[in-house]
Amino acid sequence: MSSNSADAPNPGPTGTGNGPAVSRREFDALFEAVRTWGRWAPADRGAWNRVTADHVRRATAGVRSGTVVPMALPWNTRPGPDNRKPALHHMTDLGDVEAPEPSTHKDFIAADYHGKGVTHLDALCHIVYRGQLYDGRTAHEVVDAAGARFGAVSTLGPLVTTGVLLDLPAALGIRWLEPGQAVHAKDIIAAEKALDVTIGEGDAVLLRSGHVRRRAELGAWDPDAASAGFHVDAVPLLAERGIALLGGDGDSDVRPSPVDGVHSPVHALAVAAMGVPLLDNLDLEALSGATAEAGRHEFLLVVAPLNVPGGTGSPVSPVAVL
């Protein structure tokens, strides 16, 4: 792994690169081990059923300074290696004065948001593994051209819980994880110790790899080809802790995938097996600074997806409140 520190080599998480490799048989066994099908009602809210009113009250009670930190990337209309389907934004009304007053300015926005350029939430209907959605629903029976009749983003509503920032670069004393670097279960445990934080039931876990900082300093690259993220061997620990939401400044998966024939294995495990929605493409740089200043890596997390009946997810603008 190359150095990204002016003072010392980057030790990175334990291990090197995106390995170890995982066979499809081993992955399928892991899928079965973390699967929570049949556990909750309503099933299409999946692991979000863990977040009760008591969880929300505890999360809000943890607010101290009242500092609000936004975590959404800017609306990105410029094509690049990490934005192959740029978002759209154009003006539809430039304020021409017509009686009666006042005049107006109006604009149009749109995005094919499931990619690398837009901060978004993945709903449970977004991921299909072996032809099935979460809870064993057959994909072709519940999803069609009109949208999804199970696991749609509209069933989730606003998501409010305790967020935990796993700030790996801060824990390791480096600037960022290099693209292609896997984060393992033992790295999560080490980060918890270094950051004095513990992931609990109903929490949202956000992984900071330093992706946004690296891009700002070195330029864009293709994160589909190489990005830091969780190795599949980290998922049983997250399942054991009972998380309700998973996200990061990438899309949670280390790339290249360590699993033969599965391009997004953490997506499959989290969404299709565990019923855990995902937050992709967060900007966690300001939150990293705010949590370091506060000396705490827990916060109130608020995510309000658009109410799109049948939608597979939504662009979002999450906020952390410390």
Side-chain angles (χ1 to χ4, degrees):
M1 176 180 299
S2 62
S3 169
N4 60 35
S5 168
D7 301 317
N10 173 7
T14 53
T16 58
N18 68 328
V22 176
S23 71
R24 188 64 173 270
R25 179 183 58 80
E26 291 170 322
F27 179 76
D28 285 347
L30 179 57
F31 188 97
E32 295 303 316
V34 300
R35 190 163 59 95
T36 60
W37 295 3
R39 180 174 299 184
W40 294 296
D44 60 355
R45 287 176 62 81
W48 198 252
N49 283 289
R50 288 190 168 109
V51 182
T52 65
D54 284 341
H55 283 89
V56 176
R57 282 192 290 269
R58 286 196 296 272
T60 56
V63 173
R64 299 177 187 174
S65 68
T67 301
V68 178
V69 184
M71 292 181 281
L73 294 172
W75 195 250
N76 192 347
T77 61
R78 299 182 64 181
D82 55 352
N83 193 24
R84 297 174 183 172
K85 296 179 287 186
L88 303 178
H89 177 217
H90 62 260
M91 301 301 294
T92 57
D93 190 333
L94 292 177
D96 296 333
V97 178
E98 297 179 4
E101 293 277 13
S103 61
T104 62
H105 295 120
K106 300 176 185 177
D107 54 358
F108 167 90
I109 61 172
D112 189 352
Y113 59 88
H114 284 299
K116 309 299 183 183
V118 177
T119 302
H120 66 270
L121 176 73
D122 290 341
L124 300 192
C125 61
H126 174 51
I127 297 295
V128 180
Y129 184 63
R130 298 180 302 196
Q132 293 179 303
L133 302 175
Y134 176 71
D135 211 50
R137 308 303 171 100
T138 303
H140 74 268
E141 293 178 348
V142 296
V143 182
D144 56 28
R149 295 180 296 281
F150 176 87
V153 70
S154 52
T155 68
L156 291 173
L159 309 179
V160 180
T161 192
T162 298
V164 174
L165 180 65
L166 285 181
D167 195 338
L168 264 292
L172 293 165
I174 59 177
R175 296 169 69 79
W176 53 70
L177 303 185
E178 290 293 347
Q181 179 62 59
V183 175
H184 302 274
K186 53 189 174 182
D187 300 315
I188 296 174
I189 294 170
E192 285 181 312
K193 183 176 180 180
L195 302 172
D196 191 25
V197 69
T198 302
I199 299 166
E201 183 178 10
D203 286 352
V205 175
L206 307 182
L207 172 66
R208 176 178 175 258
S209 69
H211 178 119
V212 174
R213 182 175 185 176
R214 187 185 192 278
R215 186 185 191 280
E217 295 190 20
L218 301 182
W221 71 95
D222 180 2
D224 281 325
S227 59
F230 290 112
H231 190 277
V232 295
D233 65 17
V235 175
L237 175 63
L238 298 173
E240 179 184 315
R241 298 292 182 85
I243 66 168
L245 184 63
L246 184 64
D249 53 10
D251 69 358
S252 295
D253 269 287
V254 67
R255 300 183 188 282
S257 168
V259 183
D260 182 37
V262 182
H263 66 81
S264 299
V266 172
H267 275 62
L269 294 174
V271 179
M274 296 164 55
V276 173
L278 296 178
L279 281 172
D280 291 349
N281 311 323
L282 299 172
D283 182 346
L284 298 175
E285 296 308 295
L287 183 59
S288 175
T291 53
E293 182 178 352
R296 51 194 294 260
H297 289 76
E298 288 184 342
F299 45 88
L300 171 66
L301 176 69
V302 181
V303 185
L306 298 174
N307 186 3
V308 182
T312 64
S314 169
V316 289
S317 185
V319 296
V321 188
L322 282 75

